[in-house]
């Protein structure tokens, strides 16, 4: 499997640190608002990377943080007259809801910055001890020049960078390129006790600390949007490698930006859509499919036209899956002699799909392979096909779609009605002491992944 490593600027063969395992850290959002569809791009793209590793049999430990202390969160809390933690908690929940609607698998761990302050203090103390950091009046700075390989990820040269930088009068740093690890509290801001007085961490330190705590000193993959290469990821490398004396991450993956009208989409420019807004107009599966229609390192322009064509593309796959489902219900028997070559034939599409994904996760080509497979299915799966053949097509189509996180079943809304109906029927059966039927309904629901709980308030259900 080849992936493009920002560090070497080349596609490299993926070799895991530990056989069969992937340790992966993806920088998550700052939670002060609903996430916008630009934020959704890394979430979708790296969830797909994770899914492909899992498809190949790897066990993936996937960590993605929530930055829940930040100037923007504090400003929002002042605007709304609520605490910063109320702001961040609210938007973490909203973000998780959007992620579920985008069929993004829950991370192994979603650490929050505010819950990891102790670890940050330990790492900062370690950096001071080693001479990589220094404290001045309650602020701690990283001594950038002391870290020899500073700039290795972004290919920036310290002297060139320095030429464009001036030290602001209120700053007491030794060098213009030094960056903040800890800052003193300001009135009305959240703060924590530290050896340097009351204050809060700078932004970069959280990822160094959480990555180490949950994944170890050296990890396989560190990922995020391309705007994070400098300074965020460059500073993370400096902090982690200076503190641990070890390589921080082996592969650095960065997605290109999602644009609107060919302009960078960002909150500060005001030209953005939230995932929630798009969800009001489209099924969010379409947004997911759209995001994967381009290679993750290519800029992608959001437009109604492209969403429309993604909608049609997705429909083609879903319709084919539905047809297979209907055929499978009626079909019978094992593979016929003349079907053997068809079973063999489908391997070509799987091979194409995998070749695309192994080439630095080229989801655009992987989708083309699925379209070709769908065309093949639509011709070769017939009313008189054997059950074995139809089910084999079904299984493959589901497996490939699952890598992209595309759900082929009917939407859940319909299912919910069905659930409520079955629960009502079960209640009736129990009233009539028809316990056999009541149990049967419980089992039918269980098969669909619905767990029932009888409570004093009535029957409650949840998805397994
Ligand atoms: P932020 O909340 O700004 O820290 O962003 C969270 C993640 O979204 C980071 O990985 C960013 O690089 C990424 N991101 C932000 N805007 C965009 C965009 N327009 N296109 C793609 N990725 C983005
Ligand atoms: Zn980060």
């Amino acid at each position: 499997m080849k992936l493009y490593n920002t560090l070497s600027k080349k596609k490299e063969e993926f070799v895991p640190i530990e056989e069969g395992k992937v340790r992966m850290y993806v920088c998550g959002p700052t939670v002060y608002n609903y996430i916008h569809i630009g934020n959704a791009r890394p979430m979708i793209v790296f969830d797909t990377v994770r899914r492909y590793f899992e498809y190949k049999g790897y066990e993936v430990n996937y960590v993605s943080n929530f930055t829940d202390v930040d100037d923007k969160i504090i400003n929002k809390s002042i605007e709304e007259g609520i605490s910063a933690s109320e702001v961040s908690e609210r938007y973490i929940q909203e973000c998780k809801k959007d992620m579920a609607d985008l069929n993004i698998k829950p991370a192994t761990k979603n650490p929050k910055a505010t819950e990891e302050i102790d670890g940050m203090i330990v790492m900062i103390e370690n950096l001071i001890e080693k001479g990589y950091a220094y404290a001045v009046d309650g602020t701690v700075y990283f001594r950038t020049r002391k870290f020899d390989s500073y700039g290795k990820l972004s290919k920036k040269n310290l002297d060139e960078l320095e030429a464009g930088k001036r030290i602001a009068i209120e700053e007491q740093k030794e060098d213009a390129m030094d960056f903040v690890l800890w800052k003193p509290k300001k009135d009305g801001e959240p703060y924590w006790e530290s050896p340097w007085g009351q204050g809060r961490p700078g932004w970069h330190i959280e990822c160094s600390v959480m990555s180490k705590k949950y994944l170890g000193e050296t990890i396989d993959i560190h990922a995020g949007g391309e705007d994070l290469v400098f300074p965020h990821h460059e500073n993370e490398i400096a902090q982690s490698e200076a503190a641990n004396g070890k390589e921080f991450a082996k592969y650095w993956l960065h997605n290109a930006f999602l644009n609107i009208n060919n302009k960078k989409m960002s909150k500060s420019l005001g030209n953005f859509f939230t995932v929630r807004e798009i969800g009001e107009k489209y099924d969010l599966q379409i947004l997911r499919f759209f995001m994967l229609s381009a290679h993750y390192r290519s800029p992608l322009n959001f437009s109604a036209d492209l969403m429309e064509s993604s909608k049609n593309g997705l429909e083609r796959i879903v319709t084919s899956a539905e047809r297979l489902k209907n055929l499978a219900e009626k079909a019978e028997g094992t593979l016929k002699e003349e079907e053997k070559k068809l079973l063999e034939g489908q391997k070509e599409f799987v091979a194409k799909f995998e070749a695309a994904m192994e080439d630095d996760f080229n989801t655009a080509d992987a989708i083309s392979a699925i379209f070709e497979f769908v065309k093949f299915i639509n011709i070769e799966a017939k009313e008189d096909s054997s059950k074995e053949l139809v089910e084999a097509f079904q299984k493959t189509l589901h497996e490939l779609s699952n890598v992209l996180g595309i759900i082929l079943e009917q939407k859940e809304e319909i299912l919910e009605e069905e659930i409520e109906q079955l629960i009502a029927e079960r209640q009736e059966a129990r009233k009539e002491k028809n316990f056999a039927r009541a149990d049967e309904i419980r089992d039918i629901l269980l098969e669909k992944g619905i767990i029932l709980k009888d409570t004093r308030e009535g029957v409650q259900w949840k998805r397994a």
Side-chain angles (χ1 to χ4, degrees):
M1 196 184 309
K2 285 204 159 34
L3 31 90
Y4 182 87
N5 190 350
T6 309
L7 198 59
S8 62
K9 288 190 140 189
K10 280 202 284 273
K11 280 186 197 167
E12 292 176 25
E13 188 61 35
F14 178 74
V15 184
I17 297 168
E18 202 179 331
E19 187 152 341
K21 295 200 170 154
V22 181
R23 302 176 204 167
M24 186 166 176
Y25 186 99
V26 182
C27 291
T30 307
V31 278
Y32 65 102
N33 205 336
Y34 291 99
I35 56 162
H36 60 63
I37 56 176
N39 298 135
R41 190 171 191 195
M43 289 174 179
I44 293 167
V45 159
F46 298 120
D47 175 65
T48 305
V49 167
R50 169 201 189 161
R51 283 167 179 270
Y52 188 69
F53 276 118
E54 287 177 344
Y55 166 84
K56 294 301 282 184
Y58 286 91
E59 188 187 309
V60 184
N61 193 345
Y62 190 98
V63 176
S64 188
N65 64 309
F66 285 117
T67 298
D68 62 347
V69 56
D70 170 272
D71 287 344
K72 291 178 229 124
I73 297 172
I74 294 167
N75 291 342
K76 181 96 173 192
S77 84
I78 295 167
E79 250 171 55
E80 301 205 356
I82 53 177
S83 71
S85 63
E86 276 174 280
V87 171
S88 58
E89 249 339 285
R90 180 199 299 165
Y91 291 111
I92 285 173
Q93 293 317 320
E94 299 294 1
C95 176
K96 284 190 172 169
K97 187 173 179 305
D98 287 337
M99 287 168 82
D101 288 345
L102 290 165
N103 200 26
I104 290 162
K105 292 181 87 164
T108 319
K109 175 81 191 166
N110 282 131
K112 298 175 202 163
T114 56
E115 290 174 2
E116 309 284 345
I117 305 285
D118 289 351
M120 296 188 219
I121 291 174
V122 170
M123 190 178 271
I124 296 171
E125 280 183 312
N126 175 355
L127 288 168
I128 293 177
E129 250 166 59
K130 291 191 166 127
Y132 282 106
Y134 57 96
V136 201
D137 286 346
T139 304
V140 185
Y141 294 102
F142 186 89
R143 193 172 270 131
T144 308
R145 278 192 188 274
K146 178 144 169 93
F147 185 70
D148 288 341
S149 51
Y150 192 84
K152 68 177 169 182
L153 183 72
S154 55
K155 318 294 172 217
K156 288 187 194 290
N157 170 305
L158 261 181
D159 292 325
E160 283 167 20
L161 280 170
E162 188 124 42
K165 257 194 127 163
R166 255 189 260 144
I167 303 182
I169 298 164
E170 74 274 12
E171 290 183 302
Q172 305 126 304
K173 29 181 168 170
E174 292 173 2
D175 189 286
M177 285 313 295
D178 293 351
F179 61 88
V180 171
L181 299 173
W182 187 266
K183 52 186 153 193
K185 82 161 198 191
K186 286 195 204 133
D187 275 351
E189 288 188 0
Y191 65 88
W192 289 263
E193 300 294 337
S194 84
W196 318 284
Q198 295 173 336
R200 63 183 168 104
W203 171 34
H204 316 297
I205 194 75
E206 70 182 76
C207 292
S208 284
V209 168
M210 295 169 181
S211 178
K212 178 176 176 175
K213 178 166 172 188
Y214 297 104
L215 298 169
E217 289 180 335
T218 305
I219 68 168
D220 293 294
I221 297 174
H222 197 114
E226 64 183 4
D227 58 323
L228 299 186
V229 174
F230 185 85
H232 185 54
H233 287 163
E234 199 69 74
N235 292 354
E236 283 185 29
I237 292 177
Q239 296 164 156
S240 293
E241 298 193 354
N244 306 329
K246 289 198 185 130
E247 185 181 22
F248 180 37
K250 293 180 70 179
Y251 304 93
W252 288 86
L253 269 53
H254 293 100
N255 64 273
F257 259 54
L258 179 73
N259 299 321
I260 285 190
N261 298 328
N262 295 310
K263 258 202 229 117
K264 177 181 156 171
M265 193 182 79
S266 82
K267 280 189 190 145
S268 51
L269 294 174
N271 62 339
F272 67 90
F273 292 116
T274 61
V275 168
R276 210 50 73 84
E277 282 170 325
I278 297 303
E280 281 163 16
K281 282 200 200 144
Y282 302 91
D283 179 345
L284 286 175
Q285 284 291 302
I286 299 168
L287 182 65
R288 179 165 183 127
F289 196 66
F290 158 77
M291 292 283 187
L292 298 175
S293 67
H295 188 273
Y296 75 94
R297 282 189 293 113
S298 306
L300 177 59
N301 199 40
F302 182 83
S303 71
D305 279 357
L306 283 177
M307 283 294 280
E308 210 45 48
S309 79
S310 294
K311 180 170 177 240
N312 295 337
L314 187 59
E315 238 163 48
R316 238 192 294 163
I317 302 171
V318 171
T319 307
S320 184
E322 270 168 13
R323 183 169 164 266
L324 282 180
K325 193 167 169 240
N326 293 335
L327 286 178
E329 273 163 19
K330 286 178 226 133
E332 284 171 359
T334 50
L335 199 70
K336 299 177 196 167
E337 191 55 37
E338 67 273 21
E339 289 175 344
K340 281 190 177 152
K341 62 176 192 315
L342 299 177
L343 202 59
E344 238 353 79
Q346 71 166 350
K347 288 189 182 154
E348 179 196 329
F349 307 103
V350 175
K352 268 194 185 170
F353 177 89
E354 291 186 4
M357 291 303 281
E358 308 239 331
D359 182 15
D360 190 30
F361 310 105
N362 191 334
T363 51
D365 285 359
I367 288 174
S368 302
I370 293 185
F371 282 151
E372 283 179 42
F373 183 39
V374 161
K375 214 163 153 191
F376 175 81
I377 289 171
N378 293 350
I379 295 167
E380 304 297 353
K382 305 188 186 94
E383 296 289 329
D384 62 350
S385 296
S386 70
K387 195 173 184 76
E388 191 177 340
L389 180 77
V390 176
E391 287 185 347
F393 285 167
Q394 246 185 328
K395 181 166 176 281
T396 306
L397 188 58
H398 273 83
E399 276 172 1
L400 302 188
S401 303
N402 189 46
V403 170
L404 301 181
I406 298 303
I407 300 170
L408 298 178
E409 282 84 34
Q410 288 284 335
K411 281 185 61 184
E412 284 180 355
E413 277 88 46
I414 303 161
L415 216 60
E416 261 171 43
E417 275 175 25
E418 233 181 285
I419 295 165
E420 300 293 356
Q421 229 169 18
L422 282 166
I423 289 176
E425 198 189 328
R426 178 168 167 267
Q427 295 299 82
E428 272 307 308
R430 288 172 68 165
K431 235 191 254 165
E432 291 163 15
K433 304 222 177 313
N434 183 355
F435 295 112
R437 176 64 185 154
D439 286 350
E440 195 182 37
I441 292 173
R442 173 183 283 265
D443 290 344
I444 292 171
L445 286 167
L446 201 62
E447 229 169 78
K448 292 178 194 266
I450 304 300
I451 298 168
L452 298 187
K453 199 173 152 205
D454 293 302
T455 70
R456 237 179 283 165
E457 286 76 41
V459 183
Q460 289 175 354
W461 61 269
K462 65 170 190 183
R463 291 180 201 281

